[in-house]
């Protein structure tokens, strides 16, 4: 408990969990660089190609320095008795269970090609679009060791948890446009009412994020969380993927007792997603410095269902199924603004 009052009679808890931080803890740092080429096409269009890169150093990870040792008679029930410190000294070692040590030697890098095109406002139309293809690789980050994160699956093996960045999509495309509707009719009043309206749209699409298939149980019998499965079929997906079954359960198997799974971390991708947002605006000038603006906005205008990632815990009855959505349903928003 915190705050705690120290006293000579304090009892040390059995099987306590601890996190060890080095005294010379270095800060995580990143170097970034980019190269861009732009070219004008005609009077109103411009295209550009951009290379984006970065290198991250001193990524904080966590290594388990008191794992259980597998051997004859090993079970989940005697995990603490088989830990390294308990084997070295059964009496004093009984006070220690999970002991994670912060490891600051992790690195990561990101490389991307960004292609974009832009049409300056002409004849009431403005268009912008871009497409990014990227590759991101990193060591396993764990900024809350012993709390919310997880240590390396195999103690002392940071390289075994190096893989694709889970939250980074390899492909991202965006297109946005604004068009000012021409006024209708010839009468002054009609043109005043119908002119000045602007319709806008944003289309966003991205590939899926990376996923890790876990066994959900301690198959290695070492007390390590986040143990991964074996992939036994070349294709991990169902022949006809649906939200009710995205991953093929027959494509995965738990490793043999006392061993770790052979699947890399973040080895497969989840479903992609796309959305279309639109807006309609009109500003009515009241006096020189004041105007009333009308806005009608529709988010996810087609009410498209973007599935979330499937359940990747093999111990779950919902393994391989998608049980939630990644985006909101259609939302309409009406607003009136008074600007002065």
């Amino acid at each position: 408990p915190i705050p705690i009052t120290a006293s000579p009679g304090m009892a040390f808890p059995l099987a306590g969990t601890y996190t060890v931080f080095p005294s010379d803890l270095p800060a995580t740092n990143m170097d970034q660089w980019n190269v861009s080429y732009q070219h004008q096409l005609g009077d109103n269009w411009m295209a550009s190609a951009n290379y984006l890169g970065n290198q991250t150093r001193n990524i904080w990870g966590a290594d388990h320095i008191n794992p259980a040792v597998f051997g004859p008679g090993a079970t989940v029930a005697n995990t603490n008795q088989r830990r390294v410190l308990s084997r070295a000294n059964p009496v004093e070692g009984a006070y220690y269970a999970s002991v994670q040590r912060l490891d600051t030697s992790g690195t990561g890098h990101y490389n991307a090609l960004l292609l974009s095109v832009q049409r300056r406002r002409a004849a009431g139309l403005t268009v912008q679009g871009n497409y990014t293809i990227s590759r991101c690789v990193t060591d396993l980050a764990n900024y809350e060791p012993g709390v919310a994160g997880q240590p390396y699956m195999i103690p002392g093996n940071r390289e075994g948890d190096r893989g694709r960045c889970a939250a980074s999509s390899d492909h991202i495309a965006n297109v946005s446009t604004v068009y000012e509707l021409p006024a209708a009719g010839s009468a002054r009043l009609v043109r005043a009412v119908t002119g000045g309206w602007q319709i806008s749209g944003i289309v966003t699409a991205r590939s899926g994020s990376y996923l890790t298939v876990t066994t959900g149980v301690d198959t290695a019998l070492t007390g390590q969380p986040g143990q991964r499965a074996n992939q036994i079929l070349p294709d991990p997906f169902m022949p006809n993927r649906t939200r009710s079954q995205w991953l093929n359960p027959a494509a995965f198997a738990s490793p043999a007792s006392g061993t770790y799974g052979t699947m890399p971390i973040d080895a497969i991708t989840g479903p992609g997603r796309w959305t279309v947002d639109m807006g309609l605006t009109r500003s009515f000038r009241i006096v020189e410095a004041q105007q009333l603006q009308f806005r009608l906005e529709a988010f996810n205008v087609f009410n498209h269902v973007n599935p979330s990632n499937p359940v990747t815990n093999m111990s779950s009855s919902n393994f391989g199924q998608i049980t939630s959505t990644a985006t909101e349903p259609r939302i309409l928003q009406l607003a009136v603004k008074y600007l002065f």
Side-chain angles (χ1 to χ4, degrees), residues 41-89:
L41 305 172
D43 296 332
N44 303 314
W45 291 88
M46 185 192 73
S48 66
N50 310 270
Y51 164 72
L52 311 173
N54 66 54
Q55 174 78 29
T56 309
R57 301 180 182 87
N58 300 332
I59 294 178
W60 293 6
D63 195 9
H64 205 164
I65 60 176
N66 191 34
V69 178
F70 178 77
T75 64
V76 174
N78 59 21
T79 297
N80 288 332
Q81 290 75 26
R82 294 185 290 106
R83 293 188 181 274
V84 172
L85 295 179
S86 293
R87 287 164 59 91
N89 187 322

Side-chain angles (χ1 to χ4, degrees), residues 93-113:
Y95 291 96
Y96 300 91
S98 172
V99 181
Q100 295 187 25
R101 176 179 58 195
L102 195 70
D103 176 20
T104 61
S105 58
T107 61
H109 60 81
Y110 173 85
N111 296 280
L113 174 65

Side-chain angles (χ1 to χ4, degrees), residues 23 30 66 72 82 89 92 96 108 133 154 160 164 216 261 273 282 305 307 309 325:
S23 58
M30 176 187 291
N66 191 34
R82 294 185 290 106
N89 187 322
E92 296 185 2
Y96 300 91
I133 179 172
I154 303 176
R164 304 300 292 270
R273 61 192 66 171
R282 173 67 161 92
V305 177
N309 290 326
T325 58

Side-chain angles (χ1 to χ4, degrees), residues 228-241:
R228 301 191 288 272
N230 292 336
Q231 184 175 332
I232 58 177
L233 294 179
D235 188 357
F237 304 104
M238 294 295 291
N240 298 306
R241 281 177 276 184

